Structures are given as structure tokens and as C-alpha cells.
Amino acid sequence: MITSLKQRRARDNILSRLRAAPQSAQEAVPDVAAYYREAPVVTAGSKVERFIEQATYWHAQVVEAGVDAWPEAVLKVAQDKQLRRILLGRDSPIGDALGRVLPPDWTTWYQGDWPLCKPHLFDEVDAGITSTVAGIARTGTLVLWPGAAEPRTLSLVPPVHIAVLFASSLHETWLDAATVGNWSARMPTNVVLVTGPSKTADIQRLLVYGAHGPCELVIVLVHDEPAGRGTT
Amino acid sequence: MSAHTHTPEDFKPRSREALADPRLRANFRATMDFLVERRAAQFADPAEYARLRDLGEAIRRHALANLPELLEQLERKLAQRGVQVHYAETIEEAQEIFAEIAGCHGARIMVKGKSMVSEEIGLNQAMEECGVECIETDMGEYILQLDGDRPSHIIMPAIHKSKEDIADIFARHIPGAGHTEDVNELIGIARKALRRKFGQAQIGVSGVNFLVAETGTLVLVENEGNGRMCTSVPDVHIAITGIEKVVEKLEHVPPLISLLTRSATGQAITTYVNLITGPRRPGELDGPREMHLVLLDNGRTQAYRDERFRSTLQCIRCGACMNHCPVYTRVGGLTYGTTYPGPIGAIISPHLQGLGATRDLPTASSLCGACGEVCPVGIPIPELLMRLREAARHPVDESGHPPLRGQGAAASQLERLAWKGWRILYSNSRLYRIFAWLATRLRWLTPARQPGWTQGRTPLRPAPHSLRDLLAARRREQAALQAAAPSARRSGAGTG
């Protein structure tokens, strides 16, 4: 622990200066829910359609699949893109299903401690596959919840990221996803909202994909919603 | 590179240089127009924008009103999550904290995501002095670091460089990089060079966009993924930000992020929104083992203690005020000589560096009001500029507020005397009449060169006749007309 006397003093000084300041008139408590309730309602198409439109706009590739055939859809993506070194989370919720379909010599299970993985991960992997906990229709965003089952770097370091998204987990906004999922009570070490592949426009405002993260994002969208594609 | 190599004191001479550089002006103009258009497309519906902005402002004001309590709540939450919190009153204290952590780990390489507060404390240079290489990983910042240059915009730091410039910089500084002007290849070169550094660095440094008191979460938005690298790959993560960045609840974050990304680059959302809540937990295979948060004051409590300036701290650092500022667009970001340029820089820097050094910055505005209009959290920037101008000119505040650091730095005896004279003249009608009589007769004596005025304008010169004289003359004329043609008027009135 680095808590020197000096820092203790700095803390006390700062807080006492803030407390000594004149109180502003009590500010109204912000009503976030009211804003979203009254926000203009998007009606064009179903949630699924809006998600696909937005995700595609942000340069993600969306592959739709049926509830029983999605591992095959992932396999097809790997074949089409010639991904031969694919990394998967050992305890990932989609691990078993994929393990049965993907050729064993194409797959590597993320395991062991990080320093041992680093060179392998940085130089020898074509793609990482992860699950998602939710999708956000308004912006075409994926919600990743990395942890013990799916490390953070699995969706970050490989040049291609394949994410499996179940249509039943789509929400309109990320406030909805956070409220329904009760995030504030159970925040993991890392939640990442991902919208499209990594990008930069730092050179003359010219857009380039694959800045530091994946150059490509493929979303395998699984139609598991009860009433098929028509639900909103 | 550091905040200390350029100073705000020579803002004026540097503005003149910048204005004389057509390429710089063209770069800035084009980029600002681009950003202005992108933002406008995002906020096409003014009513929706107004509602979202009001909400964003309410969230920030609510947070500031409860700042000390929220900081304590945040601290408790972070401690539970295993994050060490450090407070720094000054730049030097913040540097010491970094040096101490680096020393504990024997770190030689630090990778850093984009962080304005790390620029504010001159982190790169301070670390270099302790023998630690601190590498910028944001593409724009990396280019500037290789070239020993400084950022000119808080969101697009390298807009003053062309791809030809960057091709030269890479060829010169990155071993094995050939000369290419293809932008995809240039980014590829930097990606490869930096990946090696991510793998080697013991410490990752990041800024923070928002801190959530309720959950102890650090929110970080980015497009490139370097923020994720810096906060996931090295063994130690140090985040640094100002004490004002805290908000109360997680639900307060989505509207603020919507305002931030749409105002900054016209994006509905950035590629990545990171919500980081502590170092790796048991069972996790990656993520930092140790996490620190450095909370910097450096003058922010001065802005806070005076209610007239507190709204300065509502800022979410989107850069919209500079994109829309006619002065910034013409002189560019480097001219300001401060970490934060443009209108927000002009209202925050006096608190960070004192009015002594920054006294010219609040005058770098035509008060057109664009900055205040586009501010997504409703900071009344033009009003704050006026207050700072006043504070720079008056050593003592008559309203009884404690003086700002450097208050009265621009006070001038001559100006005070001039105003005093003006007051006497304008409150004594006989004196004023004598003055007007003299001024109109002696107008040929006014100098053709009037310092501070004639650099860009024609000389001031009293009119040949005062308004009073003109009115008197007109009255005389009318009386003469009436006297000369009484019958015409009478008959005219009769037929009407």
C-alpha cells in the first residue's frame, strides 16, 4: 500500500476545501428515466432489424443464424475467412457447442496465466470468439462481460473478433440493458460496449480500421426470439 | 510534449505567427468544419438536443453540488474493489505518486492511453527523469511523441500534421519502417510497433471520462482499442483524472456519453466504452493485478470554491467549444500554450496556472457566444470569460469573493486613470461640454498610430461636431424654415 502521510494530507486538504465552499442551491436530482421515456420513439422496423442496420453501419459484419445451426454459421465464417488459429474461452457459455463443431486443430483454449500467453496471443492467433450478454439496437452495440470464462484480451488482441449474440438479449438502449440486467449491483471487473471494429481517423481524418484492436468484427446473430424475426 | 515547454504568456506573438501560416490555417479550418458538420448531423432535432443537454447539465450540476460526499463514496467503493486511491494537490505530487508506483515495480516501460490530465502533469517528461519510458499509444499522440511535438486539439491531437509529415516521422523514428504515404500502411506500422510495447510494459496508464461513485467504476471511451490494451495487458493500471469527474450513479453515464461522443466527433457512440471496476479477481486470466486511481486538484478547488466559476467544472472535455470558436479555428491549439486550448482552455487554465500566466487567454474571444451555445452541459462560457477578464483587471474583487490566483495580473495604472478621468467627465455636464468643444476642434491632433487599436483597425478620431452641436444646428435650421414659410405650413394643415 502506498499511502504516505503526504497523500493523506492532500486528501484532507482537498476535501476540506470542497466542504468549505458555499453550498449551491440544492440541485434537482436528474431524472434519466424520464428523458428516455419521452425521447422520440424509433419505430422503423423491429429491434433486430434496427440492430443489424446499425451494426452494419458501424462496419460490423452480421451473420444471421437459426437457434440450432449457429455453431455451423461460426464454422462457415472461419472457413470463408480462412481462420485456422481460433482462440476460445475454456468456460465460455458457447464453448461446448463450438468445440463440437470447429475442427480441433483450428481451436485453442485460452488457459493458463497471462505472461505465458502473451507472445502466443499477440502473434499466433487469427481470431477470438466470445459470447455477449446483450445487444443494443439503437447503436448496433454489443455488451461484453469478460471474466474468468472469457478473458478481456480474447476480444481485443486477435485481428478478427467473432461475437455470438442471441436476439432475445437485444435491448433498445444501454440504459435498458443496464437496468434490466441490474448492472449497478453486480459490476464485474470489466464491461465493454463494442460498436464495430477498432478504428482511427488520426491521420488527416481518414478512417482506418484495425487501429489497436480487431480489424474485423463478425456478429453471429442467433434468432432465438420466440416469435421469430417480427418481434420488437 | 510537456505542459511546460510552451507557455500561455506568449499567446499574442504566437497567434500572429499562426495567422501567417496558410497551411496550418487551412488544416484547422477544414477539420473544424468537418467536426462542426458531423456534430450538427447528430443533433438535427433542436428540441431533442435541448432536452438531452438539460439532462446532462443537471447530472453534472448535481454531482458538483455533492462533490465531497461523492468522492468519499467513490473512495469507499474503490477500496472494496481493491483499487488504491491517491489524491494529489499539485502537479508535483501527482508526478511523485507515479514515480513511487513505478519504482515499486521496477518498471522501465509505461504505455499510456489518451489522457489530458497526464499531459497536464507533464507525465512523459517526469517519467523520463526517473528512467521510465512512457509511450503514448493513441495514434495521434504517438505520432506527436515520436516527433517531439505537442497536441493541438484535445480530440484530434495530430490534425496539424499531414500524411506526408507522418510518413517522414515514421521512416525516421520507427526501426524497419519504410517510407509510405498510404494511411492504412502507416497505421499498420504503428499498430505493430505499439503491440510490442503493450506486451513489454509493466504499467498501463489511462485517463478517465467519468467516475461512478455508486459502483466504483471508471468509464473510458475510445475508438482505437489502446485504452483497452493499456488497462488490460500490463500488470499494473494507473488511472489519472481530475477530482471533478465523478458522477453519482451508473445510470447517469449513458446520457453523458451520448452528449460527449456526439459533440466531440459526431458519433452516436465510440467503438469501445470501457466500464472498469477494479483489478482482476480470483480466477480471471488477464487484467491488471494492481490498480491505482490518482485524483488531481491542481487549482480545481479554486474554481469550485467560488460559485461564479464552479460551472467550469461541469466540462466533459468534448472539444465542441473549440471546434466552433472563430479564434481557435484561426490560431490553432498550440498557440494557447496550455494543456487545454480554446474556450474551455481559456476558462479552466486560469485556475490551473493562475491568471498571471494566462491573463491574455480570456481575451482571445469575440464573445460571439458559439461556445456557450454548443456546450453539451450548458457551461455559460462567454459569461465566465467576462468574469475572468474582470478578475485579471482588478486586483481586489468588490463583491467580497476571495481573490483568484493571479487576480489583477492585467491591471494597468494607465487604464485605471483613463476610466477615472472618463467618470469625472461624464458626471459633470460643464466639464463634459468643455471636453466636447475641445475634442471636436482639436481632432486633427489625434495620433494616427494608436497602440493596441490601429494594428487591425482605422484610427479613432472624434467627429467634427458633437451630437449636441448637431442637434442644436438642426433645431436652428428648422426654426429658420418655419420663419421663412409660415403660409405654406398653414395651408398644408388646412387641407389635411
Side-chain angles (χ1 to χ4, degrees), chain B residues 247-276:
Chain B
V247 296
E248 188 192 2
K249 293 183 172 177
L250 190 63
E251 66 172 37
H252 293 166
V253 174
L256 287 178
I257 288 196
S258 178
L259 283 166
L260 171 63
T261 62
R262 290 160 83 187
S263 302
T265 51
Q267 286 176 275
I269 193 164
T270 48
T271 305
Y272 302 116
V273 176
N274 299 284
L275 307 174
I276 301 166

PDB file of all heavy atoms in Angstrom, chain B residues 247-276:
ATOM      1  N   VAL B 247     -19.535  11.183 -11.089  1.00  0.00           N
ATOM      2  CA  VAL B 247     -20.992  11.302 -11.110  1.00  0.00           C
ATOM      3  C   VAL B 247     -21.556  10.305 -10.102  1.00  0.00           C
ATOM      4  O   VAL B 247     -20.850   9.399  -9.658  1.00  0.00           O
ATOM      5  CB  VAL B 247     -21.609  11.037 -12.503  1.00  0.00           C
ATOM      6  CG1 VAL B 247     -21.151  12.077 -13.509  1.00  0.00           C
ATOM      7  CG2 VAL B 247     -21.295   9.631 -12.998  1.00  0.00           C
ATOM      8  N   GLU B 248     -22.840  10.499  -9.754  1.00  0.00           N
ATOM      9  CA  GLU B 248     -23.359   9.692  -8.656  1.00  0.00           C
ATOM     10  C   GLU B 248     -23.660   8.249  -9.071  1.00  0.00           C
ATOM     11  O   GLU B 248     -23.237   7.310  -8.422  1.00  0.00           O
ATOM     12  CB  GLU B 248     -24.617  10.352  -8.089  1.00  0.00           C
ATOM     13  CG  GLU B 248     -25.098   9.663  -6.826  1.00  0.00           C
ATOM     14  CD  GLU B 248     -26.495  10.098  -6.407  1.00  0.00           C
ATOM     15  OE1 GLU B 248     -27.113  10.912  -7.130  1.00  0.00           O
ATOM     16  OE2 GLU B 248     -26.964   9.603  -5.376  1.00  0.00           O
ATOM     17  N   LYS B 249     -24.407   8.099 -10.182  1.00  0.00           N
ATOM     18  CA  LYS B 249     -24.942   6.763 -10.480  1.00  0.00           C
ATOM     19  C   LYS B 249     -24.517   6.261 -11.841  1.00  0.00           C
ATOM     20  O   LYS B 249     -24.243   7.049 -12.748  1.00  0.00           O
ATOM     21  CB  LYS B 249     -26.476   6.813 -10.442  1.00  0.00           C
ATOM     22  CG  LYS B 249     -27.014   7.060  -9.076  1.00  0.00           C
ATOM     23  CD  LYS B 249     -28.513   7.026  -9.104  1.00  0.00           C
ATOM     24  CE  LYS B 249     -29.031   7.082  -7.663  1.00  0.00           C
ATOM     25  NZ  LYS B 249     -30.477   7.126  -7.638  1.00  0.00           N
ATOM     26  N   LEU B 250     -24.562   4.969 -12.007  1.00  0.00           N
ATOM     27  CA  LEU B 250     -24.250   4.355 -13.288  1.00  0.00           C
ATOM     28  C   LEU B 250     -25.233   4.824 -14.363  1.00  0.00           C
ATOM     29  O   LEU B 250     -24.848   5.053 -15.511  1.00  0.00           O
ATOM     30  CB  LEU B 250     -24.309   2.829 -13.149  1.00  0.00           C
ATOM     31  CG  LEU B 250     -23.782   2.020 -14.328  1.00  0.00           C
ATOM     32  CD1 LEU B 250     -22.292   2.282 -14.536  1.00  0.00           C
ATOM     33  CD2 LEU B 250     -24.022   0.533 -14.128  1.00  0.00           C
ATOM     34  N   GLU B 251     -26.493   5.028 -13.987  1.00  0.00           N
ATOM     35  CA  GLU B 251     -27.493   5.441 -14.980  1.00  0.00           C
ATOM     36  C   GLU B 251     -27.229   6.873 -15.482  1.00  0.00           C
ATOM     37  O   GLU B 251     -27.811   7.298 -16.473  1.00  0.00           O
ATOM     38  CB  GLU B 251     -28.908   5.332 -14.416  1.00  0.00           C
ATOM     39  CG  GLU B 251     -29.171   6.314 -13.278  1.00  0.00           C
ATOM     40  CD  GLU B 251     -30.639   6.350 -12.845  1.00  0.00           C
ATOM     41  OE1 GLU B 251     -31.275   5.282 -12.846  1.00  0.00           O
ATOM     42  OE2 GLU B 251     -31.117   7.442 -12.494  1.00  0.00           O
ATOM     43  N   HIS B 252     -26.376   7.620 -14.802  1.00  0.00           N
ATOM     44  CA  HIS B 252     -26.044   8.966 -15.266  1.00  0.00           C
ATOM     45  C   HIS B 252     -25.046   8.937 -16.421  1.00  0.00           C
ATOM     46  O   HIS B 252     -24.831   9.949 -17.082  1.00  0.00           O
ATOM     47  CB  HIS B 252     -25.467   9.806 -14.116  1.00  0.00           C
ATOM     48  CG  HIS B 252     -26.463  10.099 -13.044  1.00  0.00           C
ATOM     49  ND1 HIS B 252     -26.111  10.588 -11.808  1.00  0.00           N
ATOM     50  CD2 HIS B 252     -27.816   9.966 -13.023  1.00  0.00           C
ATOM     51  CE1 HIS B 252     -27.200  10.741 -11.075  1.00  0.00           C
ATOM     52  NE2 HIS B 252     -28.245  10.364 -11.786  1.00  0.00           N
ATOM     53  N   VAL B 253     -24.438   7.803 -16.634  1.00  0.00           N
ATOM     54  CA  VAL B 253     -23.386   7.720 -17.641  1.00  0.00           C
ATOM     55  C   VAL B 253     -23.909   7.702 -19.095  1.00  0.00           C
ATOM     56  O   VAL B 253     -23.392   8.440 -19.928  1.00  0.00           O
ATOM     57  CB  VAL B 253     -22.454   6.514 -17.348  1.00  0.00           C
ATOM     58  CG1 VAL B 253     -21.456   6.318 -18.461  1.00  0.00           C
ATOM     59  CG2 VAL B 253     -21.717   6.746 -16.030  1.00  0.00           C
ATOM     60  N   PRO B 254     -24.948   6.891 -19.420  1.00  0.00           N
ATOM     61  CA  PRO B 254     -25.367   6.853 -20.831  1.00  0.00           C
ATOM     62  C   PRO B 254     -25.707   8.220 -21.442  1.00  0.00           C
ATOM     63  O   PRO B 254     -25.217   8.524 -22.532  1.00  0.00           O
ATOM     64  CB  PRO B 254     -26.568   5.912 -20.827  1.00  0.00           C
ATOM     65  CG  PRO B 254     -26.377   5.047 -19.635  1.00  0.00           C
ATOM     66  CD  PRO B 254     -25.680   5.897 -18.620  1.00  0.00           C
ATOM     67  N   PRO B 255     -26.489   9.075 -20.774  1.00  0.00           N
ATOM     68  CA  PRO B 255     -26.759  10.379 -21.411  1.00  0.00           C
ATOM     69  C   PRO B 255     -25.494  11.219 -21.579  1.00  0.00           C
ATOM     70  O   PRO B 255     -25.338  11.903 -22.609  1.00  0.00           O
ATOM     71  CB  PRO B 255     -27.750  11.065 -20.469  1.00  0.00           C
ATOM     72  CG  PRO B 255     -27.945  10.184 -19.301  1.00  0.00           C
ATOM     73  CD  PRO B 255     -27.288   8.892 -19.533  1.00  0.00           C
ATOM     74  N   LEU B 256     -24.596  11.157 -20.607  1.00  0.00           N
ATOM     75  CA  LEU B 256     -23.367  11.961 -20.723  1.00  0.00           C
ATOM     76  C   LEU B 256     -22.503  11.458 -21.872  1.00  0.00           C
ATOM     77  O   LEU B 256     -21.916  12.246 -22.623  1.00  0.00           O
ATOM     78  CB  LEU B 256     -22.570  11.928 -19.416  1.00  0.00           C
ATOM     79  CG  LEU B 256     -23.154  12.732 -18.252  1.00  0.00           C
ATOM     80  CD1 LEU B 256     -22.292  12.568 -17.011  1.00  0.00           C
ATOM     81  CD2 LEU B 256     -23.287  14.211 -18.599  1.00  0.00           C
ATOM     82  N   ILE B 257     -22.434  10.140 -22.035  1.00  0.00           N
ATOM     83  CA  ILE B 257     -21.623   9.597 -23.122  1.00  0.00           C
ATOM     84  C   ILE B 257     -22.242   9.947 -24.461  1.00  0.00           C
ATOM     85  O   ILE B 257     -21.540  10.268 -25.421  1.00  0.00           O
ATOM     86  CB  ILE B 257     -21.445   8.073 -22.951  1.00  0.00           C
ATOM     87  CG1 ILE B 257     -20.489   7.870 -21.786  1.00  0.00           C
ATOM     88  CG2 ILE B 257     -20.910   7.427 -24.233  1.00  0.00           C
ATOM     89  CD1 ILE B 257     -19.885   6.537 -21.668  1.00  0.00           C
ATOM     90  N   SER B 258     -23.555   9.916 -24.519  1.00  0.00           N
ATOM     91  CA  SER B 258     -24.229  10.299 -25.755  1.00  0.00           C
ATOM     92  C   SER B 258     -23.881  11.750 -26.111  1.00  0.00           C
ATOM     93  O   SER B 258     -23.551  12.062 -27.255  1.00  0.00           O
ATOM     94  CB  SER B 258     -25.736  10.113 -25.565  1.00  0.00           C
ATOM     95  OG  SER B 258     -26.420  10.514 -26.713  1.00  0.00           O
ATOM     96  N   LEU B 259     -23.928  12.626 -25.121  1.00  0.00           N
ATOM     97  CA  LEU B 259     -23.574  14.033 -25.364  1.00  0.00           C
ATOM     98  C   LEU B 259     -22.099  14.164 -25.757  1.00  0.00           C
ATOM     99  O   LEU B 259     -21.739  14.927 -26.656  1.00  0.00           O
ATOM    100  CB  LEU B 259     -23.842  14.868 -24.106  1.00  0.00           C
ATOM    101  CG  LEU B 259     -25.300  15.218 -23.834  1.00  0.00           C
ATOM    102  CD1 LEU B 259     -25.467  15.729 -22.410  1.00  0.00           C
ATOM    103  CD2 LEU B 259     -25.809  16.255 -24.825  1.00  0.00           C
ATOM    104  N   LEU B 260     -21.252  13.403 -25.068  1.00  0.00           N
ATOM    105  CA  LEU B 260     -19.808  13.517 -25.292  1.00  0.00           C
ATOM    106  C   LEU B 260     -19.414  13.088 -26.709  1.00  0.00           C
ATOM    107  O   LEU B 260     -18.789  13.844 -27.448  1.00  0.00           O
ATOM    108  CB  LEU B 260     -19.069  12.655 -24.256  1.00  0.00           C
ATOM    109  CG  LEU B 260     -17.564  12.470 -24.441  1.00  0.00           C
ATOM    110  CD1 LEU B 260     -16.842  13.806 -24.344  1.00  0.00           C
ATOM    111  CD2 LEU B 260     -17.000  11.516 -23.384  1.00  0.00           C
ATOM    112  N   THR B 261     -19.826  11.891 -27.109  1.00  0.00           N
ATOM    113  CA  THR B 261     -19.338  11.388 -28.399  1.00  0.00           C
ATOM    114  C   THR B 261     -20.005  12.121 -29.565  1.00  0.00           C
ATOM    115  O   THR B 261     -19.362  12.357 -30.581  1.00  0.00           O
ATOM    116  CB  THR B 261     -19.581   9.873 -28.527  1.00  0.00           C
ATOM    117  OG1 THR B 261     -20.979   9.613 -28.479  1.00  0.00           O
ATOM    118  CG2 THR B 261     -18.893   9.110 -27.422  1.00  0.00           C
ATOM    119  N   ARG B 262     -21.265  12.492 -29.397  1.00  0.00           N
ATOM    120  CA  ARG B 262     -21.935  13.211 -30.491  1.00  0.00           C
ATOM    121  C   ARG B 262     -21.361  14.610 -30.635  1.00  0.00           C
ATOM    122  O   ARG B 262     -21.203  15.115 -31.743  1.00  0.00           O
ATOM    123  CB  ARG B 262     -23.447  13.250 -30.234  1.00  0.00           C
ATOM    124  CG  ARG B 262     -24.076  11.876 -30.384  1.00  0.00           C
ATOM    125  CD  ARG B 262     -25.405  11.798 -29.671  1.00  0.00           C
ATOM    126  NE  ARG B 262     -26.495  12.321 -30.481  1.00  0.00           N
ATOM    127  CZ  ARG B 262     -27.740  12.482 -30.018  1.00  0.00           C
ATOM    128  NH1 ARG B 262     -28.033  12.181 -28.771  1.00  0.00           N
ATOM    129  NH2 ARG B 262     -28.676  12.949 -30.802  1.00  0.00           N
ATOM    130  N   SER B 263     -21.045  15.264 -29.520  1.00  0.00           N
ATOM    131  CA  SER B 263     -20.485  16.614 -29.588  1.00  0.00           C
ATOM    132  C   SER B 263     -19.047  16.601 -30.081  1.00  0.00           C
ATOM    133  O   SER B 263     -18.601  17.516 -30.761  1.00  0.00           O
ATOM    134  CB  SER B 263     -20.493  17.276 -28.210  1.00  0.00           C
ATOM    135  OG  SER B 263     -21.782  17.324 -27.692  1.00  0.00           O
ATOM    136  N   ALA B 264     -18.313  15.557 -29.706  1.00  0.00           N
ATOM    137  CA  ALA B 264     -16.875  15.553 -29.981  1.00  0.00           C
ATOM    138  C   ALA B 264     -16.586  15.232 -31.442  1.00  0.00           C
ATOM    139  O   ALA B 264     -15.920  15.997 -32.140  1.00  0.00           O
ATOM    140  CB  ALA B 264     -16.180  14.542 -29.076  1.00  0.00           C
ATOM    141  N   THR B 265     -17.092  14.098 -31.914  1.00  0.00           N
ATOM    142  CA  THR B 265     -16.743  13.652 -33.258  1.00  0.00           C
ATOM    143  C   THR B 265     -17.971  13.346 -34.101  1.00  0.00           C
ATOM    144  O   THR B 265     -17.856  12.826 -35.198  1.00  0.00           O
ATOM    145  CB  THR B 265     -15.881  12.369 -33.190  1.00  0.00           C
ATOM    146  OG1 THR B 265     -16.541  11.433 -32.353  1.00  0.00           O
ATOM    147  CG2 THR B 265     -14.505  12.660 -32.627  1.00  0.00           C
ATOM    148  N   GLY B 266     -19.154  13.661 -33.574  1.00  0.00           N
ATOM    149  CA  GLY B 266     -20.362  13.379 -34.328  1.00  0.00           C
ATOM    150  C   GLY B 266     -20.658  11.893 -34.440  1.00  0.00           C
ATOM    151  O   GLY B 266     -21.289  11.452 -35.383  1.00  0.00           O
ATOM    152  N   GLN B 267     -20.206  11.107 -33.469  1.00  0.00           N
ATOM    153  CA  GLN B 267     -20.502   9.678 -33.445  1.00  0.00           C
ATOM    154  C   GLN B 267     -21.591   9.425 -32.417  1.00  0.00           C
ATOM    155  O   GLN B 267     -21.524   9.967 -31.312  1.00  0.00           O
ATOM    156  CB  GLN B 267     -19.285   8.887 -32.960  1.00  0.00           C
ATOM    157  CG  GLN B 267     -18.138   8.748 -33.929  1.00  0.00           C
ATOM    158  CD  GLN B 267     -16.979   8.009 -33.247  1.00  0.00           C
ATOM    159  OE1 GLN B 267     -16.177   8.609 -32.560  1.00  0.00           O
ATOM    160  NE2 GLN B 267     -16.913   6.703 -33.432  1.00  0.00           N
ATOM    161  N   ALA B 268     -22.552   8.552 -32.750  1.00  0.00           N
ATOM    162  CA  ALA B 268     -23.594   8.218 -31.782  1.00  0.00           C
ATOM    163  C   ALA B 268     -22.986   7.482 -30.587  1.00  0.00           C
ATOM    164  O   ALA B 268     -23.482   7.571 -29.468  1.00  0.00           O
ATOM    165  CB  ALA B 268     -24.668   7.362 -32.430  1.00  0.00           C
ATOM    166  N   ILE B 269     -21.901   6.752 -30.839  1.00  0.00           N
ATOM    167  CA  ILE B 269     -21.188   6.051 -29.764  1.00  0.00           C
ATOM    168  C   ILE B 269     -19.778   5.754 -30.283  1.00  0.00           C
ATOM    169  O   ILE B 269     -19.579   5.664 -31.495  1.00  0.00           O
ATOM    170  CB  ILE B 269     -21.938   4.756 -29.349  1.00  0.00           C
ATOM    171  CG1 ILE B 269     -21.393   4.182 -28.039  1.00  0.00           C
ATOM    172  CG2 ILE B 269     -21.909   3.720 -30.466  1.00  0.00           C
ATOM    173  CD1 ILE B 269     -22.286   3.160 -27.380  1.00  0.00           C
ATOM    174  N   THR B 270     -18.826   5.611 -29.374  1.00  0.00           N
ATOM    175  CA  THR B 270     -17.475   5.247 -29.824  1.00  0.00           C
ATOM    176  C   THR B 270     -17.376   3.723 -29.970  1.00  0.00           C
ATOM    177  O   THR B 270     -18.249   2.999 -29.508  1.00  0.00           O
ATOM    178  CB  THR B 270     -16.422   5.701 -28.796  1.00  0.00           C
ATOM    179  OG1 THR B 270     -16.847   5.286 -27.502  1.00  0.00           O
ATOM    180  CG2 THR B 270     -16.231   7.200 -28.830  1.00  0.00           C
ATOM    181  N   THR B 271     -16.328   3.254 -30.601  1.00  0.00           N
ATOM    182  CA  THR B 271     -16.159   1.811 -30.775  1.00  0.00           C
ATOM    183  C   THR B 271     -16.186   1.100 -29.423  1.00  0.00           C
ATOM    184  O   THR B 271     -16.847   0.084 -29.263  1.00  0.00           O
ATOM    185  CB  THR B 271     -14.822   1.501 -31.466  1.00  0.00           C
ATOM    186  OG1 THR B 271     -14.776   2.221 -32.691  1.00  0.00           O
ATOM    187  CG2 THR B 271     -14.694   0.016 -31.751  1.00  0.00           C
ATOM    188  N   TYR B 272     -15.451   1.641 -28.464  1.00  0.00           N
ATOM    189  CA  TYR B 272     -15.406   0.992 -27.150  1.00  0.00           C
ATOM    190  C   TYR B 272     -15.850   1.947 -26.059  1.00  0.00           C
ATOM    191  O   TYR B 272     -15.454   3.112 -26.038  1.00  0.00           O
ATOM    192  CB  TYR B 272     -13.976   0.520 -26.827  1.00  0.00           C
ATOM    193  CG  TYR B 272     -13.442  -0.444 -27.864  1.00  0.00           C
ATOM    194  CD1 TYR B 272     -12.340  -0.116 -28.640  1.00  0.00           C
ATOM    195  CD2 TYR B 272     -14.069  -1.670 -28.083  1.00  0.00           C
ATOM    196  CE1 TYR B 272     -11.857  -0.989 -29.614  1.00  0.00           C
ATOM    197  CE2 TYR B 272     -13.606  -2.542 -29.044  1.00  0.00           C
ATOM    198  CZ  TYR B 272     -12.505  -2.204 -29.808  1.00  0.00           C
ATOM    199  OH  TYR B 272     -12.053  -3.058 -30.769  1.00  0.00           O
ATOM    200  N   VAL B 273     -16.692   1.434 -25.175  1.00  0.00           N
ATOM    201  CA  VAL B 273     -16.971   2.120 -23.918  1.00  0.00           C
ATOM    202  C   VAL B 273     -16.554   1.129 -22.840  1.00  0.00           C
ATOM    203  O   VAL B 273     -17.137   0.053 -22.725  1.00  0.00           O
ATOM    204  CB  VAL B 273     -18.464   2.476 -23.778  1.00  0.00           C
ATOM    205  CG1 VAL B 273     -18.732   3.100 -22.420  1.00  0.00           C
ATOM    206  CG2 VAL B 273     -18.915   3.407 -24.901  1.00  0.00           C
ATOM    207  N   ASN B 274     -15.498   1.462 -22.109  1.00  0.00           N
ATOM    208  CA  ASN B 274     -14.980   0.572 -21.069  1.00  0.00           C
ATOM    209  C   ASN B 274     -15.555   0.958 -19.719  1.00  0.00           C
ATOM    210  O   ASN B 274     -15.497   2.123 -19.337  1.00  0.00           O
ATOM    211  CB  ASN B 274     -13.454   0.710 -20.951  1.00  0.00           C
ATOM    212  CG  ASN B 274     -12.731   0.340 -22.225  1.00  0.00           C
ATOM    213  OD1 ASN B 274     -12.591  -0.823 -22.542  1.00  0.00           O
ATOM    214  ND2 ASN B 274     -12.284   1.350 -22.964  1.00  0.00           N
ATOM    215  N   LEU B 275     -16.101  -0.023 -19.020  1.00  0.00           N
ATOM    216  CA  LEU B 275     -16.527   0.206 -17.643  1.00  0.00           C
ATOM    217  C   LEU B 275     -15.623  -0.671 -16.778  1.00  0.00           C
ATOM    218  O   LEU B 275     -15.737  -1.895 -16.791  1.00  0.00           O
ATOM    219  CB  LEU B 275     -17.995  -0.186 -17.457  1.00  0.00           C
ATOM    220  CG  LEU B 275     -19.000   0.446 -18.437  1.00  0.00           C
ATOM    221  CD1 LEU B 275     -20.386  -0.142 -18.241  1.00  0.00           C
ATOM    222  CD2 LEU B 275     -19.056   1.961 -18.255  1.00  0.00           C
ATOM    223  N   ILE B 276     -14.697  -0.031 -16.091  1.00  0.00           N
ATOM    224  CA  ILE B 276     -13.674  -0.781 -15.361  1.00  0.00           C
ATOM    225  C   ILE B 276     -13.936  -0.674 -13.871  1.00  0.00           C
ATOM    226  O   ILE B 276     -14.004   0.425 -13.314  1.00  0.00           O
ATOM    227  CB  ILE B 276     -12.273  -0.218 -15.690  1.00  0.00           C
ATOM    228  CG1 ILE B 276     -12.023  -0.322 -17.198  1.00  0.00           C
ATOM    229  CG2 ILE B 276     -11.196  -0.958 -14.907  1.00  0.00           C
ATOM    230  CD1 ILE B 276     -10.832   0.494 -17.672  1.00  0.00           C
TER     231      ILE B 276
END
